[in-house]
Amino acid sequence: MNGSAALSTPMTDPFGRTISYLRVSVTDRCDLRCFYCMSEDMTFLPKANLLTLEELDRLCSAFIAKGVKKLRLTGGEPLVRRNVMTLVRSLSRHLSSGALNELTLTTNGTQLAKHASELADCGVRRINVSLDTLDPKKFREITRWGEIDKVLEGIEAARAAGLAVKINAVALKNLNEDELPDLMRWAHGKGMGLTLIEVMPMGEIGSGRIDQYLPLSLVRARLAQQFTLTDLAESTGGPARYVSVTETGGKLGFITPMTHNFCESCNRVRITCTGTLHTCLGHEDASDLRKPLRASDDDMLLADAIDRAIGLKPKGHDFIIDRRHDRPSVSRHMSVTGG
């Protein structure tokens, strides 16, 4: 296929799955150090290695031309990237044209108070906020130095701006597992969804990290003793499976890469802030898109590189909890891959 044809060719992987959802990390940096995502003394990439905001715009636009309908900006923490709102505003043109159905982001919430209003003005309609606990002491323990009040202030600013907020919480054995019912009641009481996520074996892990793995099958069974959970057929395009909770009137999601993978319907790929494409979160696969991006002023080489990468997308991930060797299934940190 020549480059001009590849520019608008829809992306279908070897297993017939159409790729319509792109997650893009705009930075590997973060103002928190959640232990399941980063090491405490992270060595961040030299800023010169990162794609410029203009390059990120061009890369995202190439994927949109090839059929991506949902675009999520991630990090690290996306809102700590300098001038990131210029990227959001520029990408919003694809919402106006109808080429893109949704532009959204995942954030830790610390910078939301500053940016929520502008995000809404750019056409962002909903966001995910990562929050594992409402206990200030536990929050500091999980994030290593975070202040929960900043996050709560950011959430309220987002709600005031008209953004729909969904809370993402990693379920952690012996840390927040007893708090999950209250976290759900709090979120649902404010009209926010809650999605629970299993710890994933990525980056530096040790016996402590492995011991904090909590299967969501167990969490669901415990919740079902207190609440009426009804399976929902709906999907937001991501990996979560949802239930409605009769007692709270809210929606609860489960992301279960360990106990029940979600590979059969995977429509997602991820791009790092250096222009590396990962077609699977749970594989060490990597395709360099920065080189073709910078090699030409048009997108023909880039489109060909994208097609080659999608053609290698694996059927499913290889996540396992390796208790014998304390080894991660994937060596790169979640913050580098893009949350």
Side-chain angles (χ1 to χ4, degrees):
M1 183 187 300
N2 63 43
S4 57
L7 283 171
S8 58
T9 303
M11 297 173 291
T12 303
D13 76 6
F15 305 96
R17 298 169 298 192
T18 299
I19 308 304
S20 59
Y21 181 5
L22 177 65
R23 302 173 67 106
V24 180
S25 171
V26 299
T27 180
D28 65 324
R29 296 169 188 267
C30 187
D31 51 354
L32 301 178
R33 293 291 182 276
C34 298
F35 63 80
Y36 54 76
C37 182
M38 292 184 172
S39 63
E40 187 166 5
D41 299 313
M42 284 290 291
T43 301
F44 293 110
L45 296 165
K47 291 185 178 180
N49 288 14
L50 272 60
L51 296 181
T52 66
L53 294 177
E54 292 76 15
E55 287 173 329
L56 284 167
D57 185 306
R58 185 177 155 202
L59 195 52
C60 291
S61 298
F63 274 87
I64 292 167
K66 291 178 68 61
V68 159
K69 292 297 183 182
K70 178 177 178 179
L71 175 60
R72 180 177 296 278
L73 303 181
T74 69
E77 168 49 46
L79 295 179
V80 301
R81 173 82 189 249
R82 187 177 181 185
N83 296 325
V84 71
M85 290 308 301
T86 63
L87 174 63
V88 178
R89 189 161 291 281
S90 180
L91 289 171
S92 70
R93 72 189 186 277
H94 297 297
L95 294 171
S96 301
S97 73
L100 189 65
N101 291 342
E102 183 175 29
L103 175 61
T104 184
L105 75 155
T106 296
T107 173
N108 63 26
T110 60
Q111 308 297 315
L112 263 181
K114 282 190 287 187
H115 298 296
S117 180
E118 189 175 2
L119 285 168
D121 190 54
C122 290
V124 174
R125 294 292 171 256
R126 65 187 186 96
I127 59 173
N128 291 353
V129 177
S130 301
L131 180 63
D132 305 318
T133 179
L134 295 174
D135 183 312
K137 184 178 178 182
K138 284 185 188 176
F139 184 82
R140 184 171 286 273
E141 181 181 348
I142 292 169
T143 64
R144 295 193 173 103
W145 59 58
E147 297 175 16
I148 195 171
D149 287 347
K150 281 187 178 180
V151 177
L152 298 178
E153 180 187 0
I155 289 171
E156 291 308 314
R159 295 177 66 226
L163 297 174
V165 177
K166 178 166 73 68
I167 303 299
N168 286 345
V170 176
L172 301 163
K173 188 176 181 180
N174 298 325
L175 189 54
N176 70 349
E177 59 180 315
D178 293 338
E179 191 184 349
L180 296 178
D182 287 338
L183 187 62
M184 183 180 71
R185 290 189 187 97
W186 169 79
H188 289 177
K190 291 181 174 291
M192 302 185 296
L194 172 67
T195 293
L196 303 177
I197 305 171
E198 286 177 336
V199 167
M200 290 181 241
M202 299 181 68
E204 297 171 18
I205 63 174
S207 57
R209 166 84 167 276
I210 290 173
D211 289 342
Q212 282 162 341
Y213 165 65
L214 179 63
L216 289 187
S217 54
L218 176 60
V219 173
R220 176 169 176 160
R222 288 175 180 171
L223 288 172
Q225 293 174 2
Q226 300 181 55
F227 303 95
T228 307
L229 309 180
T230 304
D231 288 314
L232 297 173
E234 67 185 87
S235 169
T236 58
R241 290 176 170 84
Y242 292 98
V243 299
S244 64
V245 184
T246 302
E247 289 77 5
T248 63
K251 188 165 69 171
L252 178 65
F254 298 92
I255 296 181
T256 54
M258 304 304 300
T259 57
H260 188 299
N261 77 48
F262 35 75
C263 303
E264 70 278 357
S265 60
C266 183
N267 62 344
R268 300 169 297 286
V269 294
R270 287 171 164 81
I271 296 175
T272 72
C273 51
T274 60
T276 299
L277 174 65
H278 295 290
T279 59
C280 178
L281 183 61
H283 273 261
E284 294 284 11
D285 73 309
S287 300
D288 178 18
L289 298 184
R290 181 172 59 182
K291 186 174 179 180
L293 180 72
R294 293 179 173 175
S296 172
D297 289 336
D298 65 45
D299 291 336
M300 292 183 183
L301 292 175
L302 176 60
D304 284 335
I306 292 170
D307 285 337
R308 284 195 299 273
I310 299 301
L312 298 173
K313 183 173 170 65
K315 187 173 184 179
H317 65 65
D318 293 331
F319 282 145
I320 58 166
I321 291 288
D322 189 346
R323 296 183 183 275
R324 290 172 301 168
H325 303 102
D326 290 350
R327 282 194 309 234
S329 293
V330 177
S331 61
R332 63 184 184 272
H333 283 280
M334 190 67 171
S335 61
V336 174
T337 308

